[in-house]
Amino acid sequence: MASVKLTNVKKIYGKDTVAVQEFNLDIADKEFIVFVGPSGCGKSTTLRMIAGLEDISEGTVEIDGVVVNDLQPRDRNIAMVFQNYALYPHLTVFENMAFSLRLKNVPNEIVYEKVTKAAEILGITEYLTRKPRALSGDQRQRVAIGRAMVRDSKVFLMDEPLSNLDAKLRNQMRAEIILLRQKIDTTFIYVTHDQTEAMTLGDRIVIMKDGFIQQVGTPTEVFDMPLNLFVAEFIGAPKMNTFKTKLVCEGDKYYVNPYGAKIEVTGKKAEMLKGKRIGSREVILGVRPEHFVLSSSDNPEAIPCKIVVNEMMGSELHLHVVEDNGDKLIVRIPTVSLSDEQRASLVYGSTIYVTFEGKVMHFFDPETQANLLV
Ligand code: ADP
């Protein structure tokens, strides 16, 4: 068992730098939680308070129901993996991994058993006699993870562990962390600024901004129902398109009028607007790039725009377009959906007509930026 609970946690550096505040979170045993947000939002500070590497200014951190605010890091039963690996250069991979066990005078045969088992899980058995400098970046990170694994910790803390790796290795290690998680049954708290990492790794994601939690939810929840505009734009790549427009209520139907197009709100979104008795009003409308489709000039639901950039991503095109008013949008089109002629016509300067379905819209309050349907 290793649940972690943070209650009203606050961190103030020096006199008045408030790095984290009103942080409340219940992490269940064996849950994989990801803290995500832009640089400086307080992710690492929160992780370091859980680890005991940073004093907690206010509030409590509990591990398995025990308040650990005043416990030393070594007494918290946690293991931490950092971005910069922090390996000892003069020790072999084996001794790097064995280090914490040696400090505790663990008998040799148990050290051997634990290190070789972890090395096997991480696929680094053949490197055990090497020094860290003779390893590649991902191998070093495996050693750092192995060093944490041998400690049988109740909670595994990881601070941007993949950010020093190149893009390809990062994808590979991300998949391996998912496998690792299946093999070692423990609670994970993982910090990253990368929303893809957060979405793919987390059972639940904690999205932070300026020291405050913005939303806690499963990847599906934060993607489908972002609580505010910040979350909506932070989760998903390329980011959600947003534009100020009017939501019009006519009888029991709702329409939006982006750039002169008239598009009916349908499905669950229409039901929710009705349920909340929302009347005609100004909104910020959000539509994800993948929810746009190509249309034609005779469709009253279509928005005319000009292509400024066509990024060929392989399985899809990312079309950067400008609408007549100069607003920029990004539209993702699966390449398989296009004929050769269509593809050839999607070039810089050409006019295209795009639209989206009524069920994919998001509505935010222009003042508070809160999701109107939550
Ligand atoms: P993140 O991990 O999300 O990038 P951090 O937790 O590192 O953010 O930082 C949160 C805020 O606290 C930032 O404004 C940062 O400048 C500040 N901060 C972090 N560490 C210290 C420190 N040791 N002293 C003073 N301010 C700090």
Side-chain angles (χ1 to χ4, degrees), residues 159-200:
D159 193 353
E160 302 258 7
L162 307 186
S163 60
N164 279 350
L165 303 178
D166 66 43
K168 198 168 158 213
L169 276 179
R170 211 160 51 224
N171 288 349
Q172 186 188 329
M173 282 298 283
R174 200 173 66 211
E176 292 195 22
I177 287 176
I178 295 172
L179 291 175
L180 177 72
R181 186 266 171 102
Q182 290 159 5
K183 288 179 192 156
I184 53 172
D185 232 4
T186 183
T187 308
F188 280 82
I189 309 176
Y190 186 104
V191 162
T192 179
H193 62 275
D194 181 322
Q195 64 92 30
T196 311
E197 252 172 64
M199 292 292 275
T200 49

mmCIF file of all heavy atoms in Angstrom, residues 159-200:
data_model
loop_
_atom_site.group_PDB
_atom_site.id
_atom_site.type_symbol
_atom_site.label_atom_id
_atom_site.label_comp_id
_atom_site.label_asym_id
_atom_site.label_seq_id
_atom_site.Cartn_x
_atom_site.Cartn_y
_atom_site.Cartn_z
ATOM 1 N N ASP A 159 11.235 13.093 -12.125
ATOM 2 C CA ASP A 159 11.210 14.500 -12.528
ATOM 3 C C ASP A 159 11.790 14.645 -13.931
ATOM 4 O O ASP A 159 13.001 14.586 -14.111
ATOM 5 C CB ASP A 159 12.000 15.340 -11.523
ATOM 6 C CG ASP A 159 11.748 16.823 -11.718
ATOM 7 O OD1 ASP A 159 11.067 17.197 -12.697
ATOM 8 O OD2 ASP A 159 12.232 17.615 -10.893
ATOM 9 N N GLU A 160 10.944 14.812 -14.925
ATOM 10 C CA GLU A 160 11.352 14.975 -16.323
ATOM 11 C C GLU A 160 12.413 13.943 -16.726
ATOM 12 O O GLU A 160 13.465 14.313 -17.263
ATOM 13 C CB GLU A 160 11.921 16.386 -16.561
ATOM 14 C CG GLU A 160 10.970 17.503 -16.213
ATOM 15 C CD GLU A 160 10.304 18.135 -17.423
ATOM 16 O OE1 GLU A 160 10.478 17.622 -18.534
ATOM 17 O OE2 GLU A 160 9.592 19.131 -17.236
ATOM 18 N N PRO A 161 12.204 12.651 -16.468
ATOM 19 C CA PRO A 161 13.279 11.681 -16.681
ATOM 20 C C PRO A 161 13.690 11.535 -18.144
ATOM 21 O O PRO A 161 14.789 11.067 -18.413
ATOM 22 C CB PRO A 161 12.698 10.367 -16.154
ATOM 23 C CG PRO A 161 11.233 10.528 -16.281
ATOM 24 C CD PRO A 161 10.964 11.985 -16.012
ATOM 25 N N LEU A 162 12.833 11.936 -19.078
ATOM 26 C CA LEU A 162 13.148 11.689 -20.485
ATOM 27 C C LEU A 162 13.577 12.943 -21.237
ATOM 28 O O LEU A 162 13.870 12.885 -22.431
ATOM 29 C CB LEU A 162 11.920 11.085 -21.197
ATOM 30 C CG LEU A 162 11.313 9.852 -20.529
ATOM 31 C CD1 LEU A 162 10.208 9.281 -21.398
ATOM 32 C CD2 LEU A 162 12.369 8.790 -20.258
ATOM 33 N N SER A 163 13.651 14.074 -20.548
ATOM 34 C CA SER A 163 13.822 15.319 -21.307
ATOM 35 C C SER A 163 15.228 15.502 -21.871
ATOM 36 O O SER A 163 15.427 16.351 -22.726
ATOM 37 C CB SER A 163 13.405 16.525 -20.483
ATOM 38 O OG SER A 163 14.181 16.581 -19.342
ATOM 39 N N ASN A 164 16.195 14.705 -21.417
ATOM 40 C CA ASN A 164 17.534 14.815 -22.008
ATOM 41 C C ASN A 164 17.743 13.892 -23.204
ATOM 42 O O ASN A 164 18.824 13.845 -23.763
ATOM 43 C CB ASN A 164 18.615 14.488 -20.968
ATOM 44 C CG ASN A 164 18.896 15.688 -20.084
ATOM 45 O OD1 ASN A 164 18.427 16.781 -20.373
ATOM 46 N ND2 ASN A 164 19.633 15.485 -19.022
ATOM 47 N N LEU A 165 16.713 13.138 -23.558
ATOM 48 C CA LEU A 165 16.862 12.181 -24.659
ATOM 49 C C LEU A 165 16.341 12.789 -25.958
ATOM 50 O O LEU A 165 15.467 13.653 -25.937
ATOM 51 C CB LEU A 165 16.061 10.908 -24.352
ATOM 52 C CG LEU A 165 16.414 10.203 -23.045
ATOM 53 C CD1 LEU A 165 15.506 8.994 -22.854
ATOM 54 C CD2 LEU A 165 17.869 9.775 -23.020
ATOM 55 N N ASP A 166 16.878 12.315 -27.087
ATOM 56 C CA ASP A 166 16.355 12.838 -28.346
ATOM 57 C C ASP A 166 14.953 12.266 -28.592
ATOM 58 O O ASP A 166 14.526 11.332 -27.921
ATOM 59 C CB ASP A 166 17.312 12.590 -29.515
ATOM 60 C CG ASP A 166 17.473 11.132 -29.835
ATOM 61 O OD1 ASP A 166 16.456 10.402 -29.845
ATOM 62 O OD2 ASP A 166 18.606 10.695 -30.078
ATOM 63 N N ALA A 167 14.250 12.857 -29.570
ATOM 64 C CA ALA A 167 12.821 12.576 -29.726
ATOM 65 C C ALA A 167 12.522 11.091 -29.892
ATOM 66 O O ALA A 167 11.595 10.552 -29.296
ATOM 67 C CB ALA A 167 12.274 13.359 -30.910
ATOM 68 N N LYS A 168 13.343 10.397 -30.662
ATOM 69 C CA LYS A 168 13.073 8.990 -30.947
ATOM 70 C C LYS A 168 13.241 8.139 -29.679
ATOM 71 O O LYS A 168 12.391 7.313 -29.348
ATOM 72 C CB LYS A 168 14.028 8.520 -32.045
ATOM 73 C CG LYS A 168 13.582 7.260 -32.712
ATOM 74 C CD LYS A 168 14.379 7.004 -33.969
ATOM 75 C CE LYS A 168 14.292 5.531 -34.281
ATOM 76 N NZ LYS A 168 15.512 5.046 -34.896
ATOM 77 N N LEU A 169 14.341 8.387 -28.973
ATOM 78 C CA LEU A 169 14.575 7.633 -27.736
ATOM 79 C C LEU A 169 13.520 7.952 -26.682
ATOM 80 O O LEU A 169 13.133 7.097 -25.894
ATOM 81 C CB LEU A 169 15.954 7.977 -27.165
ATOM 82 C CG LEU A 169 17.121 7.203 -27.747
ATOM 83 C CD1 LEU A 169 18.419 7.670 -27.102
ATOM 84 C CD2 LEU A 169 16.942 5.707 -27.509
ATOM 85 N N ARG A 170 13.089 9.190 -26.709
ATOM 86 C CA ARG A 170 12.082 9.595 -25.734
ATOM 87 C C ARG A 170 10.803 8.791 -25.949
ATOM 88 O O ARG A 170 10.206 8.278 -25.005
ATOM 89 C CB ARG A 170 11.800 11.092 -25.898
ATOM 90 C CG ARG A 170 11.411 11.758 -24.629
ATOM 91 C CD ARG A 170 11.586 13.234 -24.641
ATOM 92 N NE ARG A 170 10.970 13.876 -25.772
ATOM 93 C CZ ARG A 170 11.547 14.826 -26.486
ATOM 94 N NH1 ARG A 170 12.753 15.232 -26.180
ATOM 95 N NH2 ARG A 170 10.925 15.364 -27.495
ATOM 96 N N ASN A 171 10.401 8.640 -27.208
ATOM 97 C CA ASN A 171 9.207 7.834 -27.501
ATOM 98 C C ASN A 171 9.386 6.399 -27.062
ATOM 99 O O ASN A 171 8.485 5.778 -26.510
ATOM 100 C CB ASN A 171 8.907 7.862 -29.004
ATOM 101 C CG ASN A 171 8.384 9.211 -29.422
ATOM 102 O OD1 ASN A 171 8.064 10.037 -28.575
ATOM 103 N ND2 ASN A 171 8.323 9.446 -30.719
ATOM 104 N N GLN A 172 10.594 5.873 -27.322
ATOM 105 C CA GLN A 172 10.870 4.479 -26.967
ATOM 106 C C GLN A 172 10.837 4.294 -25.448
ATOM 107 O O GLN A 172 10.222 3.361 -24.932
ATOM 108 C CB GLN A 172 12.238 4.121 -27.527
ATOM 109 C CG GLN A 172 12.614 2.677 -27.379
ATOM 110 C CD GLN A 172 14.074 2.469 -27.795
ATOM 111 O OE1 GLN A 172 14.591 3.169 -28.656
ATOM 112 N NE2 GLN A 172 14.735 1.536 -27.152
ATOM 113 N N MET A 173 11.505 5.215 -24.726
ATOM 114 C CA MET A 173 11.553 5.092 -23.263
ATOM 115 C C MET A 173 10.174 5.308 -22.642
ATOM 116 O O MET A 173 9.850 4.728 -21.612
ATOM 117 C CB MET A 173 12.542 6.108 -22.671
ATOM 118 C CG MET A 173 13.993 5.719 -22.792
ATOM 119 S SD MET A 173 14.397 4.181 -21.911
ATOM 120 C CE MET A 173 14.464 4.751 -20.218
ATOM 121 N N ARG A 174 9.367 6.137 -23.307
ATOM 122 C CA ARG A 174 8.013 6.365 -22.799
ATOM 123 C C ARG A 174 7.237 5.048 -22.812
ATOM 124 O O ARG A 174 6.589 4.684 -21.839
ATOM 125 C CB ARG A 174 7.328 7.393 -23.697
ATOM 126 C CG ARG A 174 6.169 8.073 -23.071
ATOM 127 C CD ARG A 174 5.681 9.178 -23.954
ATOM 128 N NE ARG A 174 5.138 8.675 -25.187
ATOM 129 C CZ ARG A 174 5.165 9.313 -26.349
ATOM 130 N NH1 ARG A 174 5.727 10.489 -26.435
ATOM 131 N NH2 ARG A 174 4.642 8.776 -27.428
ATOM 132 N N ALA A 175 7.376 4.322 -23.905
ATOM 133 C CA ALA A 175 6.699 3.025 -23.997
ATOM 134 C C ALA A 175 7.267 2.072 -22.939
ATOM 135 O O ALA A 175 6.540 1.285 -22.337
ATOM 136 C CB ALA A 175 6.881 2.445 -25.390
ATOM 137 N N GLU A 176 8.588 2.193 -22.697
ATOM 138 C CA GLU A 176 9.193 1.281 -21.718
ATOM 139 C C GLU A 176 8.762 1.613 -20.291
ATOM 140 O O GLU A 176 8.690 0.724 -19.444
ATOM 141 C CB GLU A 176 10.706 1.304 -21.866
ATOM 142 C CG GLU A 176 11.085 0.669 -23.186
ATOM 143 C CD GLU A 176 12.546 0.309 -23.281
ATOM 144 O OE1 GLU A 176 13.181 0.165 -22.233
ATOM 145 O OE2 GLU A 176 13.029 0.191 -24.407
ATOM 146 N N ILE A 177 8.508 2.885 -20.048
ATOM 147 C CA ILE A 177 8.026 3.240 -18.705
ATOM 148 C C ILE A 177 6.637 2.649 -18.472
ATOM 149 O O ILE A 177 6.308 2.196 -17.383
ATOM 150 C CB ILE A 177 8.060 4.769 -18.492
ATOM 151 C CG1 ILE A 177 9.517 5.206 -18.325
ATOM 152 C CG2 ILE A 177 7.236 5.190 -17.272
ATOM 153 C CD1 ILE A 177 9.752 6.672 -18.196
ATOM 154 N N ILE A 178 5.841 2.585 -19.545
ATOM 155 C CA ILE A 178 4.517 1.961 -19.425
ATOM 156 C C ILE A 178 4.677 0.473 -19.092
ATOM 157 O O ILE A 178 3.997 -0.074 -18.221
ATOM 158 C CB ILE A 178 3.700 2.151 -20.724
ATOM 159 C CG1 ILE A 178 3.426 3.645 -20.928
ATOM 160 C CG2 ILE A 178 2.399 1.360 -20.679
ATOM 161 C CD1 ILE A 178 2.794 4.008 -22.259
ATOM 162 N N LEU A 179 5.653 -0.182 -19.759
ATOM 163 C CA LEU A 179 5.900 -1.601 -19.470
ATOM 164 C C LEU A 179 6.451 -1.778 -18.057
ATOM 165 O O LEU A 179 6.057 -2.697 -17.324
ATOM 166 C CB LEU A 179 6.914 -2.171 -20.472
ATOM 167 C CG LEU A 179 6.415 -2.294 -21.910
ATOM 168 C CD1 LEU A 179 7.531 -2.746 -22.830
ATOM 169 C CD2 LEU A 179 5.250 -3.278 -21.976
ATOM 170 N N LEU A 180 7.359 -0.885 -17.684
ATOM 171 C CA LEU A 180 7.973 -0.945 -16.352
ATOM 172 C C LEU A 180 6.907 -0.850 -15.271
ATOM 173 O O LEU A 180 6.901 -1.585 -14.286
ATOM 174 C CB LEU A 180 8.951 0.229 -16.215
ATOM 175 C CG LEU A 180 9.643 0.382 -14.877
ATOM 176 C CD1 LEU A 180 10.680 -0.719 -14.727
ATOM 177 C CD2 LEU A 180 10.326 1.745 -14.771
ATOM 178 N N ARG A 181 5.990 0.021 -15.518
ATOM 179 C CA ARG A 181 4.911 0.241 -14.566
ATOM 180 C C ARG A 181 4.092 -1.049 -14.373
ATOM 181 O O ARG A 181 3.619 -1.348 -13.282
ATOM 182 C CB ARG A 181 4.053 1.376 -15.122
ATOM 183 C CG ARG A 181 2.957 1.875 -14.253
ATOM 184 C CD ARG A 181 1.670 1.181 -14.580
ATOM 185 N NE ARG A 181 0.664 1.507 -13.617
ATOM 186 C CZ ARG A 181 -0.313 2.370 -13.813
ATOM 187 N NH1 ARG A 181 -0.388 3.013 -14.935
ATOM 188 N NH2 ARG A 181 -1.209 2.561 -12.892
ATOM 189 N N GLN A 182 3.950 -1.819 -15.459
ATOM 190 C CA GLN A 182 3.210 -3.079 -15.337
ATOM 191 C C GLN A 182 4.007 -4.108 -14.534
ATOM 192 O O GLN A 182 3.453 -4.996 -13.914
ATOM 193 C CB GLN A 182 2.893 -3.643 -16.723
ATOM 194 C CG GLN A 182 1.860 -2.799 -17.458
ATOM 195 C CD GLN A 182 1.884 -3.012 -18.965
ATOM 196 O OE1 GLN A 182 2.613 -3.854 -19.470
ATOM 197 N NE2 GLN A 182 1.094 -2.245 -19.687
ATOM 198 N N LYS A 183 5.353 -3.974 -14.589
ATOM 199 C CA LYS A 183 6.194 -4.970 -13.909
ATOM 200 C C LYS A 183 6.425 -4.625 -12.439
ATOM 201 O O LYS A 183 6.532 -5.504 -11.602
ATOM 202 C CB LYS A 183 7.541 -5.089 -14.617
ATOM 203 C CG LYS A 183 7.432 -5.785 -15.965
ATOM 204 C CD LYS A 183 8.786 -5.845 -16.632
ATOM 205 C CE LYS A 183 8.655 -6.272 -18.084
ATOM 206 N NZ LYS A 183 9.771 -5.829 -18.900
ATOM 207 N N ILE A 184 6.587 -3.337 -12.142
ATOM 208 C CA ILE A 184 6.779 -2.982 -10.731
ATOM 209 C C ILE A 184 5.529 -2.286 -10.224
ATOM 210 O O ILE A 184 5.149 -1.233 -10.677
ATOM 211 C CB ILE A 184 8.040 -2.128 -10.458
ATOM 212 C CG1 ILE A 184 8.092 -0.872 -11.334
ATOM 213 C CG2 ILE A 184 9.297 -2.932 -10.631
ATOM 214 C CD1 ILE A 184 9.216 0.059 -10.951
ATOM 215 N N ASP A 185 4.935 -2.960 -9.279
ATOM 216 C CA ASP A 185 3.625 -2.570 -8.798
ATOM 217 C C ASP A 185 3.762 -1.497 -7.745
ATOM 218 O O ASP A 185 3.790 -1.788 -6.560
ATOM 219 C CB ASP A 185 3.015 -3.825 -8.159
ATOM 220 C CG ASP A 185 1.663 -4.085 -8.715
ATOM 221 O OD1 ASP A 185 1.260 -3.361 -9.626
ATOM 222 O OD2 ASP A 185 1.015 -5.017 -8.209
ATOM 223 N N THR A 186 3.855 -0.254 -8.168
ATOM 224 C CA THR A 186 4.022 0.774 -7.149
ATOM 225 C C THR A 186 3.326 2.055 -7.593
ATOM 226 O O THR A 186 2.783 2.143 -8.682
ATOM 227 C CB THR A 186 5.530 0.990 -6.867
ATOM 228 O OG1 THR A 186 5.672 1.938 -5.842
ATOM 229 C CG2 THR A 186 6.287 1.476 -8.076
ATOM 230 N N THR A 187 3.329 3.032 -6.721
ATOM 231 C CA THR A 187 2.690 4.311 -7.032
ATOM 232 C C THR A 187 3.710 5.205 -7.740
ATOM 233 O O THR A 187 4.844 5.309 -7.294
ATOM 234 C CB THR A 187 2.225 4.976 -5.715
ATOM 235 O OG1 THR A 187 1.458 4.030 -4.988
ATOM 236 C CG2 THR A 187 1.424 6.224 -5.978
ATOM 237 N N PHE A 188 3.316 5.793 -8.843
ATOM 238 C CA PHE A 188 4.219 6.669 -9.598
ATOM 239 C C PHE A 188 3.707 8.109 -9.563
ATOM 240 O O PHE A 188 2.528 8.349 -9.782
ATOM 241 C CB PHE A 188 4.272 6.274 -11.087
ATOM 242 C CG PHE A 188 5.163 5.120 -11.404
ATOM 243 C CD1 PHE A 188 4.738 3.823 -11.228
ATOM 244 C CD2 PHE A 188 6.440 5.344 -11.902
ATOM 245 C CE1 PHE A 188 5.560 2.746 -11.547
ATOM 246 C CE2 PHE A 188 7.273 4.279 -12.219
ATOM 247 C CZ PHE A 188 6.838 2.983 -12.046
ATOM 248 N N ILE A 189 4.641 9.035 -9.343
ATOM 249 C CA ILE A 189 4.313 10.459 -9.548
ATOM 250 C C ILE A 189 5.374 10.994 -10.501
ATOM 251 O O ILE A 189 6.571 10.904 -10.226
ATOM 252 C CB ILE A 189 4.296 11.263 -8.236
ATOM 253 C CG1 ILE A 189 3.412 10.563 -7.189
ATOM 254 C CG2 ILE A 189 3.796 12.683 -8.507
ATOM 255 C CD1 ILE A 189 3.416 11.240 -5.835
ATOM 256 N N TYR A 190 4.924 11.503 -11.630
ATOM 257 C CA TYR A 190 5.812 11.783 -12.755
ATOM 258 C C TYR A 190 5.619 13.239 -13.178
ATOM 259 O O TYR A 190 4.485 13.687 -13.376
ATOM 260 C CB TYR A 190 5.395 10.836 -13.883
ATOM 261 C CG TYR A 190 6.256 10.822 -15.111
ATOM 262 C CD1 TYR A 190 7.132 9.766 -15.341
ATOM 263 C CD2 TYR A 190 6.163 11.820 -16.067
ATOM 264 C CE1 TYR A 190 7.911 9.720 -16.494
ATOM 265 C CE2 TYR A 190 6.945 11.782 -17.218
ATOM 266 C CZ TYR A 190 7.811 10.727 -17.419
ATOM 267 O OH TYR A 190 8.565 10.694 -18.560
ATOM 268 N N VAL A 191 6.718 13.971 -13.300
ATOM 269 C CA VAL A 191 6.643 15.384 -13.691
ATOM 270 C C VAL A 191 7.106 15.551 -15.137
ATOM 271 O O VAL A 191 8.149 15.015 -15.512
ATOM 272 C CB VAL A 191 7.528 16.246 -12.768
ATOM 273 C CG1 VAL A 191 7.833 17.605 -13.401
ATOM 274 C CG2 VAL A 191 6.851 16.449 -11.423
ATOM 275 N N THR A 192 6.354 16.285 -15.915
ATOM 276 C CA THR A 192 6.778 16.585 -17.287
ATOM 277 C C THR A 192 6.121 17.884 -17.760
ATOM 278 O O THR A 192 5.079 18.285 -17.241
ATOM 279 C CB THR A 192 6.412 15.439 -18.252
ATOM 280 O OG1 THR A 192 6.838 15.796 -19.566
ATOM 281 C CG2 THR A 192 4.918 15.168 -18.294
ATOM 282 N N HIS A 193 6.751 18.549 -18.747
ATOM 283 C CA HIS A 193 6.099 19.716 -19.347
ATOM 284 C C HIS A 193 5.436 19.288 -20.661
ATOM 285 O O HIS A 193 4.813 20.092 -21.339
ATOM 286 C CB HIS A 193 7.125 20.822 -19.622
ATOM 287 C CG HIS A 193 8.169 20.403 -20.598
ATOM 288 N ND1 HIS A 193 9.299 19.713 -20.234
ATOM 289 C CD2 HIS A 193 8.229 20.521 -21.932
ATOM 290 C CE1 HIS A 193 10.004 19.443 -21.320
ATOM 291 N NE2 HIS A 193 9.374 19.917 -22.369
ATOM 292 N N ASP A 194 5.579 18.007 -21.005
ATOM 293 C CA ASP A 194 5.170 17.496 -22.313
ATOM 294 C C ASP A 194 3.790 16.846 -22.215
ATOM 295 O O ASP A 194 3.626 15.812 -21.557
ATOM 296 C CB ASP A 194 6.239 16.480 -22.748
ATOM 297 C CG ASP A 194 5.966 15.867 -24.095
ATOM 298 O OD1 ASP A 194 4.797 15.590 -24.416
ATOM 299 O OD2 ASP A 194 6.924 15.619 -24.811
ATOM 300 N N GLN A 195 2.824 17.451 -22.888
ATOM 301 C CA GLN A 195 1.455 16.945 -22.744
ATOM 302 C C GLN A 195 1.289 15.543 -23.331
ATOM 303 O O GLN A 195 0.463 14.777 -22.869
ATOM 304 C CB GLN A 195 0.442 17.940 -23.309
ATOM 305 C CG GLN A 195 0.546 18.203 -24.792
ATOM 306 C CD GLN A 195 -0.339 17.288 -25.593
ATOM 307 O OE1 GLN A 195 -1.382 16.857 -25.129
ATOM 308 N NE2 GLN A 195 0.088 16.981 -26.802
ATOM 309 N N THR A 196 2.097 15.197 -24.332
ATOM 310 C CA THR A 196 1.985 13.839 -24.897
ATOM 311 C C THR A 196 2.417 12.814 -23.863
ATOM 312 O O THR A 196 1.763 11.776 -23.687
ATOM 313 C CB THR A 196 2.881 13.703 -26.149
ATOM 314 O OG1 THR A 196 2.645 14.801 -26.993
ATOM 315 C CG2 THR A 196 2.619 12.412 -26.885
ATOM 316 N N GLU A 197 3.522 13.106 -23.181
ATOM 317 C CA GLU A 197 3.971 12.194 -22.118
ATOM 318 C C GLU A 197 2.887 12.062 -21.052
ATOM 319 O O GLU A 197 2.575 10.963 -20.588
ATOM 320 C CB GLU A 197 5.239 12.749 -21.466
ATOM 321 C CG GLU A 197 6.487 11.972 -21.821
ATOM 322 C CD GLU A 197 7.730 12.682 -21.306
ATOM 323 O OE1 GLU A 197 7.918 12.826 -20.092
ATOM 324 O OE2 GLU A 197 8.513 13.100 -22.165
ATOM 325 N N ALA A 198 2.310 13.195 -20.681
ATOM 326 C CA ALA A 198 1.272 13.170 -19.643
ATOM 327 C C ALA A 198 0.087 12.321 -20.087
ATOM 328 O O ALA A 198 -0.403 11.469 -19.345
ATOM 329 C CB ALA A 198 0.821 14.591 -19.332
ATOM 330 N N MET A 199 -0.361 12.539 -21.313
ATOM 331 C CA MET A 199 -1.541 11.829 -21.806
ATOM 332 C C MET A 199 -1.288 10.334 -21.930
ATOM 333 O O MET A 199 -2.165 9.527 -21.670
ATOM 334 C CB MET A 199 -1.954 12.381 -23.176
ATOM 335 C CG MET A 199 -2.490 13.791 -23.149
ATOM 336 S SD MET A 199 -4.072 13.915 -22.322
ATOM 337 C CE MET A 199 -5.190 13.501 -23.660
ATOM 338 N N THR A 200 -0.088 9.950 -22.350
ATOM 339 C CA THR A 200 0.156 8.529 -22.602
ATOM 340 C C THR A 200 0.504 7.772 -21.322
ATOM 341 O O THR A 200 0.252 6.578 -21.242
ATOM 342 C CB THR A 200 1.291 8.331 -23.623
ATOM 343 O OG1 THR A 200 2.393 9.139 -23.236
ATOM 344 C CG2 THR A 200 0.863 8.705 -25.018
#
